[in-house]
Amino acid sequence: MPSPSPLGASTTPVSSTVVPPSRESERQRLRSLLRTGLLDSPEEERFNHLTREAQTRFGVHTAIISFISEDRQFLKSFVGDLPRNIPRELAFCNTTIGQEETLVVPDMRTDARFKSHPFVVQDPFVRFYAGVPLRGPSGWFVGSLCIVGTSPRDLSAEERGHLRRLAALAEIEVNAGA
């Protein structure tokens, strides 16, 4: 797993493959998540305004700020129709937290990692995903800010920058109480 660094800065070469974290790094990542005090916490406007802005700005069905625990994804803030808790193995954001860069998948049906995913081949029929990993205390990725759509699309460089700026604001809030 890459060493902790500020949002968007990479301290190791970025690869298109996701390397599973070591047990020790995953233990530290989970400790960082617990330090935020946000897992299983109620909705908060400080996060909700960011997901509303993301949904409006990108014209997508769903915008999410989520946290990845040991076995599930917890949706701290979301606009759209998804369950609040999703098994980790079904969470697109689980892939996002395994890399440094923004993950953009223009058409989930053509991406080998996701083309047979239940959320792609059945309701809600996800076609587009873009997510930015969020760092918690000690610099470990604890979750993501993502947008999800039901039509294939891509993001321009300007749109990717805006998504990263929203994620930076979310990251500030993630670390505010830690």
Side-chain angles (χ1 to χ4, degrees), residues 39-40 67 69 72-75 78 82-87:
L39 189 64
D40 296 322
F67 299 109
S69 75
R72 65 191 165 93
Q73 175 183 24
F74 168 69
L75 306 186
F78 64 100
L82 290 174
R84 191 162 205 86
N85 288 285
I86 298 169

Side-chain angles (χ1 to χ4, degrees), residues 49-145:
H49 86 274
L50 295 170
T51 53
R52 285 192 308 269
E53 182 178 336
Q55 182 197 36
T56 300
R57 168 66 173 86
F58 295 101
V60 291
H61 181 262
T62 304
I64 301 167
I65 294 173
S66 69
F67 299 109
I68 303 293
S69 75
E70 185 174 5
D71 60 351
R72 65 191 165 93
Q73 175 183 24
F74 168 69
L75 306 186
K76 170 65 177 170
S77 175
F78 64 100
V79 180
D81 299 324
L82 290 174
R84 191 162 205 86
N85 288 285
I86 298 169
R88 184 173 179 174
E89 64 271 10
L90 292 181
F92 302 132
C93 297
N94 190 46
T95 302
T96 302
I97 68 165
Q99 58 189 44
E100 292 277 333
E101 71 272 7
T102 301
L103 174 63
V104 178
V105 184
D107 189 342
M108 302 290 274
R109 296 171 298 182
T110 63
D111 189 295
R113 296 169 294 183
F114 305 111
K115 67 182 181 181
S116 58
H117 189 286
F119 292 167
V120 173
V121 298
Q122 54 195 10
D123 195 36
F125 298 102
V126 173
R127 297 296 176 256
F128 164 75
Y129 173 90
V132 180
L134 302 175
R135 291 189 187 278
S138 306
W140 295 98
F141 290 135
V142 296
S144 69
L145 176 129

